[in-house]
Amino acid sequence: MEEDYPRNLLEFEARFSSEASCIQYLRALRWPDGFICPHCGEPGAWATNRNLFHCVGCGAQTSITAGTILHGTRKPLQLWFRAMWHITGQKYGANALGLQRVLDLGSYHTAWQWLQKLRRAMVRPGRDKLSGLVEVDETYVGGKKPGKRGRGAEGKALVGIAVEDKEEEGIGRIRLWHLQDASGANLVPFVKGVVQQNSTIRTDDWGGYNRLAANDFQHVVIPTKDLKLVHLGAALLKRWLLGTYQGAVRPSHLLYYLDEFTFRFNRRTSKSRGKLFYRLVQQAMMVEPAPLPTLKGPALSFLKGESNLNLDPLDEDRDHNI
Ligand SMILES: [Zn+2]
């Protein structure tokens, strides 16, 4: 399907001036080949005057947002569209206070929940794995004292980083994950989860990576100082967390922030805000609903308590002096 999106604010305002226009847009993204009933799987529906789709097969009525990240919202779609337009227009990321102001939402908490929901849509379900030549490392974010590799550190969270090396073309796509620790038991599943098997993985000589070759990867060990791509990724991530969120990241929410960073990083060369908007709306239609309890973050029991990560600009890791 041809990518169809507004190119600027004027086009955005003109295009999404009604609920009906938003529904039409979502419909094309959710059902590019026409309506498919989520209940019976049959095609074909007529629209009711309450903006529902009435299945011609089983008679069930479905809203355009049912079963998506926007499931059950009572707010106008126009407001959600504005939220997505705002978020994709922020070069470094959106925060809840900014979103609350732009949308004139009564509650900061609502703005915060909206952002968390939309961050979930920043990762495409079933996204492609990285492939080819991929550099992998881990880095700590947060905390005042340097962390020891392989062990947890108070107030810090360990992030796994995988970056494609496109050689002459430069740096490729990135994938991040919140790791429990730097043991092979965590690093190998991380790599398998984000990189296609038979790819070449470049790491330093940390023992946690020893089992990569046994897991169908070509494993190349190089000196830590030569892991240039992952070090650049780590530096940008830390700067971004610090600059955009000023340390206000809870460890149990870290994964969502990593998703937002990934979304922005992998589309950093895209000049078109409309295209990012298109991608976010499209993915919002593909991601399952997020009831509130799961928005509190995945269970990361190793980080006891919910104090914010201390994102100290002077904090440098062990050997990530960047
Ligand atoms: Zn049906």
Side-chain angles (χ1 to χ4, degrees), residues 35 37-42 55-60:
F35 174 87
C37 176
H39 299 278
C40 70
E42 292 293 315
C55 173
V56 296
C58 71

Side-chain angles (χ1 to χ4, degrees), residues 91-231:
K91 190 165 177 205
Y92 298 110
N95 58 54
L97 195 60
L99 188 64
Q100 185 191 2
R101 284 200 193 113
V102 166
L103 301 183
D104 202 18
L105 291 170
S107 133
Y108 173 84
H109 189 64
T110 302
W112 185 88
Q113 286 182 341
W114 280 35
L115 259 185
Q116 294 302 91
K117 284 195 182 207
L118 292 173
R119 282 195 183 104
R120 288 178 53 116
M122 290 186 177
V123 171
R124 187 163 59 86
R127 61 184 173 174
D128 301 334
K129 293 184 178 185
L130 306 185
S131 60
L133 180 55
V134 181
E135 209 169 274
V136 177
D137 198 11
E138 348 79 53
T139 189
Y140 279 111
V141 296
K144 278 211 179 345
K145 290 182 227 144
K148 281 246 170 57
R149 205 167 183 182
R151 283 174 238 165
E154 207 172 322
K156 286 174 172 291
L158 189 66
V159 175
I161 308 181
V163 182
E164 280 175 332
D165 185 349
K166 295 298 210 183
E167 302 180 86
E168 296 89 70
E169 292 166 55
I171 191 162
R173 296 170 299 168
I174 196 168
R175 295 280 185 265
L176 303 168
W177 196 253
H178 189 168
L179 296 167
Q180 191 164 345
D181 60 45
S183 67
N186 283 298
L187 289 173
V188 173
F190 161 61
V191 174
K192 284 171 82 169
V194 300
V195 188
Q196 267 179 32
Q197 272 159 315
N198 297 317
S199 299
T200 301
I201 309 285
R202 198 161 63 202
T203 71
D204 63 14
D205 64 358
W206 175 247
Y209 297 108
N210 285 351
R211 304 268 315 146
L212 286 177
N215 280 274
D216 298 324
F217 291 103
Q218 316 294 321
H219 186 200
V220 177
V221 175
I222 64 168
T224 301
K225 66 174 173 51
D226 294 334
L227 292 171
K228 300 256 192 292
L229 301 188
V230 285
H231 291 174

Side-chain angles (χ1 to χ4, degrees), residues 24 98 205 224 286 289 294 311:
Q24 196 182 20
D205 64 358
T224 301
M286 294 165 74
T294 68
L311 298 162

